[in-house]
Amino acid sequence: MATNINQKMTDMTLVQAVTDALRVKLREDGTTLVLGEDVGKNGGVFRATDGLQEEFGEDRVVDTPLSEAGIVGTSVGLAVNGYKPIVEIQFLGFIYPAYEQIMTHVARIRMRTMGAYSVPMVIRAPYGAGIRAPEIHSDSTEALFTQMPGLKVVCPSSPYDAKGLLIAAIEDPDPVLFLESMRSYRSSKEAVPTDKYTIEIGEGKIVREGTDVTLIAWGAMVAVAEKAALEAAEKGISCEVLDPRTLYPLDRELIATSVQKTGRAVIVHEAHAMGGLGTDLVALINDTSFLYLKAPVARVTGFDVPVPLFALEDHYMPTPARVLKSIEQTVHF
Amino acid sequence: MATNINQKMTDMTLVQAVTDALRVKLREDGTTLVLGEDVGKNGGVFRATDGLQEEFGEDRVVDTPLSEAGIVGTSVGLAVNGYKPIVEIQFLGFIYPAYEQIMTHVARIRMRTMGAYSVPMVIRAPYGAGIRAPEIHSDSTEALFTQMPGLKVVCPSSPYDAKGLLIAAIEDPDPVLFLESMRSYRSSKEAVPTDKYTIEIGEGKIVREGTDVTLIAWGAMVAVAEKAALEAAEKGISCEVLDPRTLYPLDRELIATSVQKTGRAVIVHEAHAMGGLGTDLVALINDTSFLYLKAPVARVTGFDVPVPLFALEDHYMPTPARVLKSIEQTVHF
Amino acid sequence: METTFPMRRIIGDDGRIVDETMKDLLTAELAWRLYTEMNRIRTFDRKAINLQRQGRLGTYAPFEGQEASQVGSALALEADDWVFPTYRDHGATLTFGADMVKTFLYWNGRVEGCVPSKERHIFPPAVPIATQIPHAVGAAWAEQRRGTQNIAVAYFGDGATSEGDFHEGMNFASVFRAPVILFNQNNGYAISVPIAKQMNSETVAQKAVAYGMPGVRVDGNDAFAVYFAMKDAVSRARSGGGPTLIEAVTWRYGAHTTADDPSKYRDQERSRDKADPLTRIELFMKERGIFDEERAEAMRTKHQEEIEQAVAEMERFSKPDPNDLFDHTYAVMPAEVAQQKADYFTLRGN
Amino acid sequence: METTFPMRRIIGDDGRIVDETMKDLLTAELAWRLYTEMNRIRTFDRKAINLQRQGRLGTYAPFEGQEASQVGSALALEADDWVFPTYRDHGATLTFGADMVKTFLYWNGRVEGCVPSKERHIFPPAVPIATQIPHAVGAAWAEQRRGTQNIAVAYFGDGATSEGDFHEGMNFASVFRAPVILFNQNNGYAISVPIAKQMNSETVAQKAVAYGMPGVRVDGNDAFAVYFAMKDAVSRARSGGGPTLIEAVTWRYGAHTTADDPSKYRDQERSRDKADPLTRIELFMKERGIFDEERAEAMRTKHQEEIEQAVAEMERFSKPDPNDLFDHTYAVMPAEVAQQKADYFTLRGN
Ligand SMILES: Cc1ncc(C[n+]2csc(CCOP(=O)(O)OP(=O)(O)O)c2C)c(N)n1
Ligand SMILES: Cc1ncc(C[n+]2csc(CCOP(=O)(O)OP(=O)(O)O)c2C)c(N)n1
Ligand SMILES: [Mg+2]
Ligand SMILES: [Mg+2]
């Protein structure tokens, strides 16, 4: 699962693990560049690139104009011409100006040139509700990208995964959207190897083993699912918690195996129900595990309304209570 | 289902029905405006707005600069200030520059102002493969919009539905994305009332009744599903063909009722499998009809690769043969 | 074609008139109006920062330093005009007539804070940078179509000029000769990024050349200069003369938002070296002998009271209502959302 | 700041020199090179239209009338430079060294037509308008980072200037002083929309002012003028002088594409009134006594042969291979796609 694990470990938050991964690759690979709004002198609005411009210079860690299409479009040119841009979009909710570039170019240049050109790049974006950020900052729109063949989508839920997956993303020959849950940025620390290691893109993990029902969650929702699993355990329900970690391509086997074992699934995500990645997971389970299902697959999601201004965001988000209720309904179906 | 049907009928293609609907509303409602690239003097690249500038003047039918964000963004201002913009995006594949405007404003202004402001507007866009158009012209990305609360998404498969739904869309108090299958634009004629009538947004229809399996398809895929249903009939399989017509909000009741009757469903769409609206339909059926299902819900879709340049587009698209195979697999599960 | 974009000033840092041709227009009444409004919004701004520090308000975007730009521009408008602000323009919207309680509510994450009053056309602050620019153009175009003399103003920052929506909006404004003012507050920074890294052009005003549109550069800390530049542009727009880009060169004294630490990217100690727009007009008034400390004191007291009262009302305001989460997305709620709402309230137990 | 953007010409419609300062540079060799390449691509263009009419090619975008712009600009490049064309710039790419068979294949919907040769950096034609502009900036920036003297060129039309990506690309080019040429062919129309409805500025070149970038307006039907304007810009870029916007004022004689009917929106009868770029240089050559009908005839024959051979090769080309539908989306095919591919071939029976 993880390669080159050095036993030297340091406690890190998720955002520190991100910085660490960037530092590892900036040191190792002279073609890597960090580009984005406020990533240089300021070290990023979440300090994800803190100290990197000092260490690697303005030429490698570049403050760009406020221009998402410009950042991503220019990175296409850089990538096709030998560089590895690691782009920060300040918040996922502001990626839309770059959507055309990502959809029509980033994801298609390999296909369009039958592999003669490719655009290995990483687009990092903080996302998700729960930190009382202003409007538009808090959306979970991963499904706008998982439906885009040519792109990979990764979303770590822990510091350890964040570092290993980000390094893997930077080394990936194809473009990767790397989603960082703002709510998870500093929610906990974990021992993380100080050296380089990678976690394979496309590999999910079992966060907690269980037998009655499979909970599938990513990003900040893993913690919510774990909390619900604990509460369910008190009621005698054994939950397996699965974090796919990569949202495209999904770890079909891990998911199918778990659901076939438990016969039940509850999917938890912040995005709306309609069009959320949960629907893909329902379809995946339908396709792979129909005969094993003892109950319909349940989804606990953000509601089908825009993510509200922050006074109501806690009401919008899945809570352990909502997940628990869904677990109970599924188990007692 | 349809209101105000006058018995005077004319044979029309789907694109003519669109023009007719626009004419009806431009005549009746002085606040309506048609805006877009080449919609005026040229009458649209598909002639969907043919003759309208002659009849209503340059002030009502406006050739705009080549600027999708400008068109939609300006229309937000027009709509909030008393006008009803009917925007043409030349091809759905070129809507991305306007994606930010649609996602962060068009779909949210009502919510953001608790109803004090709203932006009733229609965004028309030809879409889909099958007419040997250049790259990017042929994508089916309805799921980028059905996951956007605040927007409605409509997609007619026949001339009659096109006129009634477009008039309803223009009269809707909320913004509507109106998808027009290019392959269906001139593929057949149908008698269409020359007067005004509407078809309710959110109401699907049963295109063909059957008992063994429900085929769900929209746009150009309705014809493909019908063809497969005919072939299946020869093999003794009775297919019900359902066209939701509105892709958001879906006609949950019609879909559930049909699937509960047949116990089986095959969904046909041009979009990729991953993230396609088919996954929402699988989830809807899972949620509403789990205990009725005799087989997993099947999906026949575009493959999870970018829509190819046109030499290969026929290979990308669902065909009656692929649908038939899926029907047989589902029935003989 | 315009070729130079000198910065227009009417009074200097020391409050003395530098443009003598304007002398007669600088009436005591106007000076007091500008001064009063600037004082009002500065008091509001400082209060908001304090409330945020005390945890009584969410993350807040202060505008101290930009009062002359915001007040000078807003006072040149009429009640039927349209304003499309950003998150940093509540100084302008308050001056234009926005409700102060709602403005506070906005900064507490309350959607109620976005609801415009019936008396003023004020759009909710645009959070995605530059997206409000085409909106203003469209609203102005609608006024033009109806044959009114109303206009629209889009407020935006220096960073916003890098976005495609700025460009597309400018182009639409010029092609359709919309009665719109594109009012740029060049405060030197987009968060941490200084203007020299944002653009290679010496001024924002010259960007108007790309659209064959008049571009005006004005000292944004000179309330008179802003006011009269805006008046000119507004009357041109009202009389069918089309749009104007105004660059008001100003400076944000404080942080980008209360979540920002400006000392990471600039010498914050020296940030106040730029002449204070309030001091400047006060010096002018003293110089002209129209200042009156008693009147000023009364004014300050009045603003303090108004603001304290607004804070009290904001804090008395009813709790956020989860119904509002579901009720306003469509004119008629889709069945699915109605179900979600019902489920939500069932679980909640009411 | 540049203030006027006169249209630079070197030879007039009648082929006579109008800019005497350039006289010595208009060598017979250069004239023949320009003339030959223009003839070659015009022959290609007419052939492509014919093939389309016969159903042997898909919808095609002709460039007749724009040969001087495309050839003049492409001949100013070196083999290691980068070209980012649109769908209408295969005249330029063929001149630069693109493979003709592949160019035909592209117009038959074959992805093979997008694959660049190893010898030339040519991006596949950008279909979404203006999106290639930032790509060119990025590729140029990469060359600058490596310290080479290579540059990049983005080709785009008048309509493209209305898109946000034009603006964002221009801004990045100027901020990072990328060695890139923004080469605009102003052919008067974006499909049916004339430039007067596309923009309110008198020229495209003046849009450079917004970015503090040199802007040059040139007669796009004067191959010399285009060539030397491009040479200047290219050498400025190579020597660290940053980007240039060039507006080549030209005209498309024919339809937007073979699916377009230009008589819907303009007097197509009069479309040829604009001086033909080929005739013009021919007149120049005759005037200067360097024209040679025999050599011209031999050249024409050679081009005919080259093109007929390319057509033959295109038509002999292997059938579209459905493997290519699946094989190139990722470096390593995801399991799900592999399954879809297997299912596809199973159903197909091979
Ligand atoms: C499209 C988009 N990208 C990024 C952001 C994040 N962001 C918020 S404010 C800001 C800087 C804006 O600078 P400027 O336009 O100069 O306005 P100022 O804040 O100085 O008033 C950025 C990058 C955003 N809100 N929208
Ligand atoms: C983003 C986008 N919007 C719309 C289109 C459809 N379209 C194709 S060509 C064209 C006109 C382009 O005009 P111009 O830039 O002047 O180039 P020309 O065709 O004249 O060479 C349009 C609108 C597109 N390809 N991409
Ligand atoms: Mg600023
Ligand atoms: Mg053109």
Side-chain angles (χ1 to χ4, degrees):
Chain A
M1 199 158 118
T3 59
N4 293 337
I5 302 189
N6 181 305
Q7 284 317 83
K8 212 165 149 251
M9 309 285 263
T10 317
D11 272 0
M12 291 184 199
T13 59
L14 197 153
V15 68
Q16 287 168 336
V18 165
T19 315
D20 201 48
L22 294 172
R23 190 179 293 110
V24 164
K25 289 306 299 178
L26 281 164
R27 272 192 197 145
E28 184 188 89
D29 178 355
T31 69
T32 52
L33 303 171
V34 169
L35 301 155
E37 298 156 10
D38 307 289
V39 297
K41 201 147 189 192
N42 198 35
V45 293
F46 288 102
R47 304 284 175 260
T49 54
D50 207 23
L52 298 181
Q53 192 178 71
E54 265 119 303
E55 183 172 347
F56 301 100
E58 288 194 29
D59 203 48
R60 301 278 310 283
V61 180
V62 185
D63 277 320
T64 67
L66 210 178
S67 166
E68 290 77 11
I71 299 169
V72 175
T74 307
S75 292
V76 167
L78 287 164
V80 89
N81 197 1
Y83 286 86
K84 281 221 175 167
I86 309 166
V87 162
E88 176 176 302
I89 295 293
Q90 202 160 78
F91 294 87
L92 184 61
F94 303 133
I95 203 169
Y96 309 122
Y99 199 79
E100 181 182 39
Q101 284 290 344
I102 300 172
M103 175 63 115
T104 66
H105 293 296
V106 173
R108 301 197 200 211
I109 285 170
R110 178 184 292 282
M111 174 282 298
R112 184 178 295 142
T113 61
M114 302 176 86
Y117 287 147
S118 61
V119 286
M121 65 164 85
V122 176
I123 301 175
R124 296 177 39 245
Y127 85 99
I131 65 154
R132 294 169 67 82
E135 216 203 333
I136 315 292
H137 289 66
S138 308
D139 292 13
S140 292
T141 50
E142 56 270 28
L144 296 177
F145 302 92
T146 51
Q147 67 173 280
M148 204 189 271
L151 195 70
K152 297 180 181 177
V153 182
V154 169
C155 181
S157 66
S158 73
Y160 179 87
D161 286 356
K163 180 170 173 184
L165 282 167
L166 182 50
I167 293 176
I170 297 169
E171 297 184 346
D172 200 275
D174 284 305
V176 179
L177 177 68
F178 194 85
L179 299 174
E180 301 167 6
S181 155
M182 295 189 269
R183 200 163 113 171
S184 310
Y185 260 157
R186 298 185 168 84
S187 59
S188 65
K189 286 201 170 195
E190 184 178 44
V192 172
T194 53
D195 264 12
K196 179 180 160 178
Y197 65 99
T198 59
I199 294 174
E200 201 168 313
I201 292 178
E203 271 190 12
K205 80 171 173 195
I206 303 294
V207 176
R208 173 193 172 99
E209 301 210 354
T211 52
D212 296 331
V213 54
T214 303
L215 309 188
I216 306 176
W218 52 94
M221 291 301 103
V222 174
V224 172
E226 284 186 278
K227 191 129 186 269
L230 276 179
E231 292 172 20
E234 285 176 23
K235 302 197 172 197
I237 303 171
S238 163
C239 299
E240 179 142 305
V241 180
L242 190 160
D243 174 3
R245 298 195 294 196
T246 294
L247 307 184
Y248 188 86
L250 285 165
D251 191 337
R252 298 171 68 79
E253 221 176 281
L254 187 74
I255 296 165
T257 305
S258 174
V259 174
Q260 288 170 13
K261 180 178 79 177
T262 62
R264 299 181 187 90
V266 175
I267 299 153
V268 186
H269 64 59
E270 286 185 49
H272 318 303
M274 184 76 189
L277 191 68
T279 63
D280 286 285
L281 290 164
V282 174
L284 186 161
I285 294 167
N286 166 83
D287 292 352
T288 58
S289 314
F290 180 74
L291 291 175
Y292 297 84
L293 284 182
K294 300 175 193 148
V297 179
R299 288 175 296 149
V300 182
T301 70
F303 299 114
D304 285 330
V305 299
V307 181
L309 272 70
F310 70 74
L312 284 172
E313 74 179 336
D314 292 344
H315 301 265
Y316 168 83
M317 301 261 278
T319 54
R322 282 177 61 204
V323 178
L324 182 64
K325 183 175 175 192
S326 190
I327 292 170
E328 293 182 299
Q329 284 174 337
T330 301
V331 171
H332 305 307
F333 179 74
Chain B
M1 202 158 119
T3 58
N4 293 336
I5 300 187
N6 180 305
Q7 282 321 82
K8 219 173 141 238
M9 307 285 264
T10 317
D11 274 359
M12 291 185 199
T13 59
L14 197 153
V15 68
Q16 287 167 337
V18 165
T19 317
D20 202 48
L22 294 172
R23 191 178 293 111
V24 164
K25 288 307 298 176
L26 282 163
R27 272 195 198 142
E28 184 188 88
D29 178 356
T31 68
T32 53
L33 304 170
V34 169
L35 301 155
E37 297 157 11
D38 306 289
V39 298
K41 201 147 191 193
N42 198 35
V45 293
F46 287 103
R47 303 285 175 260
T49 54
D50 208 22
L52 298 181
Q53 193 179 69
E54 267 119 304
E55 185 172 346
F56 301 99
E58 288 194 29
D59 202 47
R60 301 280 307 284
V61 180
V62 185
D63 278 321
T64 66
L66 209 179
S67 167
E68 290 78 10
I71 298 169
V72 174
T74 307
S75 292
V76 167
L78 287 164
V80 89
N81 197 359
Y83 285 86
K84 280 220 176 167
I86 309 166
V87 162
E88 177 176 301
I89 295 293
Q90 203 160 78
F91 295 86
L92 184 61
F94 303 133
I95 202 169
Y96 309 122
Y99 199 79
E100 181 182 38
Q101 284 290 343
I102 301 172
M103 175 62 114
T104 66
H105 294 296
V106 173
R108 300 195 200 211
I109 285 170
R110 178 185 292 282
M111 174 281 298
R112 185 179 296 142
T113 61
M114 302 176 87
Y117 288 147
S118 62
V119 287
M121 66 163 83
V122 176
I123 302 175
R124 295 179 39 247
Y127 85 98
I131 64 155
R132 293 169 66 81
E135 214 203 334
I136 316 292
H137 290 65
S138 309
D139 292 13
S140 292
T141 50
E142 57 270 29
L144 296 178
F145 302 92
T146 51
Q147 67 172 279
M148 205 188 271
L151 195 70
K152 297 179 181 178
V153 182
V154 169
C155 180
S157 66
S158 73
Y160 178 87
D161 286 355
K163 180 169 172 183
L165 283 166
L166 182 50
I167 293 175
I170 298 169
E171 296 185 345
D172 200 274
D174 283 306
V176 179
L177 176 68
F178 194 85
L179 298 174
E180 301 167 7
S181 156
M182 295 189 268
R183 200 162 112 172
S184 310
Y185 260 158
R186 298 183 169 83
S187 60
S188 65
K189 287 202 169 193
E190 183 177 45
V192 172
T194 53
D195 264 13
K196 178 180 159 178
Y197 64 99
T198 58
I199 295 175
E200 201 168 312
I201 291 179
E203 271 191 13
K205 80 171 171 195
I206 303 294
V207 176
R208 174 193 172 99
E209 301 209 353
T211 52
D212 295 332
V213 54
T214 302
L215 310 188
I216 306 176
W218 52 93
M221 291 302 102
V222 174
V224 172
E226 284 186 278
K227 193 132 186 268
L230 276 179
E231 291 171 21
E234 283 175 24
K235 304 200 172 195
I237 303 171
S238 164
C239 298
E240 179 142 305
V241 180
L242 190 160
D243 175 3
R245 299 195 293 195
T246 294
L247 307 184
Y248 188 86
L250 285 165
D251 191 338
R252 297 172 69 80
E253 219 177 283
L254 188 75
I255 295 164
T257 306
S258 175
V259 175
Q260 288 171 13
K261 180 178 77 178
T262 62
R264 298 180 188 89
V266 175
I267 299 154
V268 186
H269 64 60
E270 287 185 48
H272 318 303
M274 185 75 189
L277 191 66
T279 62
D280 286 285
L281 291 163
V282 173
L284 186 161
I285 294 167
N286 166 82
D287 292 351
T288 58
S289 314
F290 180 74
L291 291 176
Y292 297 83
L293 285 182
K294 300 174 193 149
V297 179
R299 289 174 296 149
V300 182
T301 69
F303 300 114
D304 285 329
V305 299
V307 181
L309 271 70
F310 70 73
L312 284 172
E313 73 179 336
D314 293 344
H315 301 264
Y316 168 83
M317 299 261 279
T319 54
R322 282 177 59 204
V323 177
L324 183 64
K325 184 176 174 191
S326 188
I327 291 170
E328 294 182 299
Q329 284 174 337
T330 301
V331 171
H332 304 308
F333 179 75
Chain C
M1 194 180 303
E2 249 156 323
T3 57
T4 54
F5 298 88
M7 191 161 78
R8 298 199 200 161
R9 308 180 100 188
I10 293 178
I11 58 172
D13 289 355
D14 55 5
R16 278 173 213 259
I17 295 179
V18 294
D19 181 353
E20 289 290 338
T21 67
M22 298 297 291
K23 199 168 176 175
D24 296 344
L25 295 171
L26 314 184
T27 62
E29 194 203 328
L30 179 60
W32 273 104
R33 246 182 110 201
L34 291 165
Y35 181 63
T36 304
E37 292 297 335
M38 288 199 277
N39 184 277
R40 176 169 177 260
I41 65 169
R42 175 167 292 185
T43 313
F44 171 92
D45 193 60
R46 292 186 173 174
K47 182 72 192 180
I49 294 175
N50 278 335
L51 291 172
Q52 191 281 332
R53 289 206 183 115
Q54 296 162 21
R56 294 158 70 191
L57 217 57
T59 302
Y60 173 79
F63 52 72
E64 187 162 332
Q66 303 182 206
E67 291 91 346
S69 294
Q70 298 202 10
V71 167
S73 56
L75 281 185
L77 302 177
E78 299 294 333
D80 284 338
D81 294 331
W82 287 76
V83 171
F84 292 78
T86 75
Y87 49 85
R88 202 186 302 290
D89 299 312
H90 31 294
T93 53
L94 284 169
T95 305
F96 182 56
D99 185 272
M100 193 179 282
V101 178
K102 284 190 178 167
T103 306
F104 275 127
L105 283 170
Y106 175 77
W107 291 105
N108 252 336
R110 298 295 298 268
V111 67
E112 293 86 344
C114 288
V115 179
S117 73
K118 293 240 177 302
E119 289 73 39
R120 291 289 183 285
H121 300 302
I122 304 175
F123 231 59
V127 171
I129 299 295
T131 53
Q132 75 281 17
I133 297 172
H135 302 169
V137 175
W141 195 10
E143 295 295 339
Q144 183 197 55
R145 286 175 172 278
R146 269 199 296 272
T148 74
Q149 301 233 316
N150 305 328
I151 62 138
V153 188
Y155 283 88
F156 57 98
D158 43 303
T161 65
S162 296
E163 288 282 9
D165 274 20
F166 162 75
H167 173 68
E168 300 193 27
M170 289 287 287
N171 190 44
F172 268 65
S174 70
V175 166
F176 296 108
R177 290 185 74 76
V180 63
I181 317 295
L182 294 311
F183 190 83
N184 176 263
Q185 284 168 83
N186 173 358
N187 66 3
Y189 280 85
I191 310 186
S192 72
V193 179
I195 190 154
K197 294 194 170 178
Q198 193 68 245
M199 62 189 74
N200 190 42
S201 67
E202 272 172 57
T203 68
V204 169
Q206 76 196 63
K207 294 181 187 290
V209 171
Y211 314 94
M213 186 194 291
V216 177
R217 189 164 204 251
V218 64
D219 182 336
N221 286 9
D222 174 348
F224 286 122
V226 174
Y227 176 77
F228 286 108
M230 187 75 174
K231 272 275 180 200
D232 273 2
V234 165
S235 63
R236 177 162 53 241
R238 289 201 206 289
S239 58
T244 303
L245 171 65
I246 296 179
E247 172 188 8
V249 182
T250 180
W251 189 256
R252 125 170 96 73
Y253 283 149
H256 168 70
T257 67
T258 51
D260 174 51
D261 171 11
S263 68
K264 286 281 289 184
Y265 54 82
R266 69 183 191 188
D267 184 350
Q268 194 54 15
E269 299 284 291
R270 310 218 46 180
S271 175
R272 292 229 163 230
D273 289 0
K274 305 260 162 179
D276 183 319
L278 264 91
T279 313
R280 203 146 135 189
I281 198 162
E282 206 178 288
L283 286 172
F284 165 84
M285 290 162 82
K286 284 178 174 157
E287 166 88 19
R288 289 282 284 257
I290 57 175
F291 192 73
D292 170 346
E293 183 50 46
E294 227 164 278
R295 181 171 171 186
E297 194 46 44
M299 168 199 83
R300 282 185 216 110
T301 312
K302 187 167 149 272
H303 292 155
Q304 286 291 1
E305 284 168 10
E306 180 193 7
I307 286 159
E308 290 304 335
Q309 197 185 319
V311 172
E313 265 190 67
M314 182 260 292
E315 299 197 321
R316 269 202 308 273
F317 205 79
S318 58
K319 289 236 146 1
D321 179 356
N323 279 293
D324 290 330
L325 185 57
F326 300 98
D327 289 354
H328 311 289
T329 304
Y330 295 93
V332 178
M333 193 182 292
E336 215 163 325
V337 181
Q339 186 59 54
Q340 294 175 355
K341 179 177 172 180
D343 290 347
Y344 169 86
F345 281 104
T346 307
L347 181 65
R348 211 163 161 255
N350 56 344
Chain D
M1 193 181 303
E2 249 155 326
T3 58
T4 55
F5 298 88
M7 190 162 75
R8 299 199 200 161
R9 308 180 99 189
I10 293 177
I11 59 173
D13 289 355
D14 56 5
R16 279 172 212 258
I17 295 180
V18 295
D19 181 354
E20 290 291 337
T21 66
M22 300 296 292
K23 200 169 177 173
D24 296 343
L25 297 171
L26 313 184
T27 62
E29 194 204 328
L30 179 61
W32 272 104
R33 245 182 111 200
L34 291 164
Y35 181 62
T36 303
E37 292 297 336
M38 287 199 278
N39 184 278
R40 176 170 178 259
I41 65 168
R42 175 167 292 185
T43 314
F44 171 91
D45 194 60
R46 291 186 174 175
K47 182 71 191 179
I49 294 174
N50 279 333
L51 291 172
Q52 191 281 333
R53 290 207 182 112
Q54 296 161 23
R56 294 158 70 192
L57 219 56
T59 302
Y60 172 79
F63 53 71
E64 187 162 331
Q66 304 182 205
E67 291 91 346
S69 294
Q70 298 202 10
V71 168
S73 56
L75 282 185
L77 303 177
E78 300 295 333
D80 284 338
D81 294 332
W82 286 77
V83 172
F84 292 79
T86 76
Y87 49 85
R88 201 187 302 290
D89 299 311
H90 29 294
T93 53
L94 285 169
T95 305
F96 182 57
D99 185 89
M100 193 180 281
V101 179
K102 283 189 178 167
T103 306
F104 275 128
L105 283 170
Y106 175 77
W107 292 105
N108 252 335
R110 297 296 298 268
V111 67
E112 293 86 345
C114 288
V115 180
S117 72
K118 295 240 177 302
E119 289 73 40
R120 290 289 183 286
H121 300 302
I122 303 175
F123 231 60
V127 171
I129 298 295
T131 52
Q132 74 281 17
I133 296 172
H135 302 170
V137 175
W141 195 10
E143 295 295 339
Q144 183 198 53
R145 285 175 173 279
R146 270 198 295 272
T148 74
Q149 300 233 317
N150 304 328
I151 62 137
V153 187
Y155 283 88
F156 57 98
D158 42 302
T161 65
S162 296
E163 289 281 9
D165 274 19
F166 162 74
H167 172 68
E168 301 194 26
M170 289 286 287
N171 191 44
F172 268 65
S174 71
V175 166
F176 296 107
R177 290 185 76 76
V180 62
I181 317 295
L182 294 312
F183 190 83
N184 177 262
Q185 285 168 84
N186 173 358
N187 67 2
Y189 280 86
I191 309 186
S192 71
V193 179
I195 190 155
K197 293 192 170 177
Q198 193 68 244
M199 62 189 74
N200 190 42
S201 67
E202 272 172 56
T203 67
V204 170
Q206 78 196 61
K207 293 180 187 292
V209 171
Y211 313 95
M213 186 193 291
V216 177
R217 190 164 202 250
V218 65
D219 182 336
N221 286 10
D222 174 347
F224 287 123
V226 174
Y227 177 78
F228 286 109
M230 187 74 174
K231 271 277 182 202
D232 274 2
V234 165
S235 62
R236 177 162 50 240
R238 289 202 205 289
S239 59
T244 304
L245 171 66
I246 297 179
E247 172 188 8
V249 182
T250 180
W251 190 257
R252 125 169 95 74
Y253 283 150
H256 169 71
T257 68
T258 51
D260 173 52
D261 172 9
S263 69
K264 286 280 289 182
Y265 53 83
R266 70 184 191 188
D267 184 351
Q268 195 53 14
E269 301 283 291
R270 310 217 47 180
S271 174
R272 292 226 163 235
D273 289 0
K274 305 260 163 180
D276 183 321
L278 266 91
T279 313
R280 203 147 135 190
I281 198 162
E282 206 179 289
L283 287 172
F284 165 83
M285 290 161 81
K286 284 178 175 157
E287 167 89 19
R288 290 280 285 256
I290 57 176
F291 192 72
D292 170 346
E293 183 50 45
E294 228 165 276
R295 180 171 170 187
E297 193 47 42
M299 168 198 83
R300 283 185 214 110
T301 312
K302 188 168 149 269
H303 291 157
Q304 285 292 356
E305 284 168 10
E306 179 194 9
I307 286 159
E308 289 305 334
Q309 198 185 315
V311 171
E313 265 191 67
M314 182 261 292
E315 298 196 323
R316 270 202 307 272
F317 205 81
S318 58
K319 290 238 146 358
D321 179 356
N323 279 294
D324 290 329
L325 185 57
F326 301 98
D327 289 354
H328 310 290
T329 304
Y330 295 93
V332 178
M333 193 182 293
E336 214 163 328
V337 180
Q339 187 58 53
Q340 293 175 355
K341 179 176 172 182
D343 290 346
Y344 169 86
F345 280 104
T346 307
L347 182 65
R348 211 164 160 254
N350 58 342

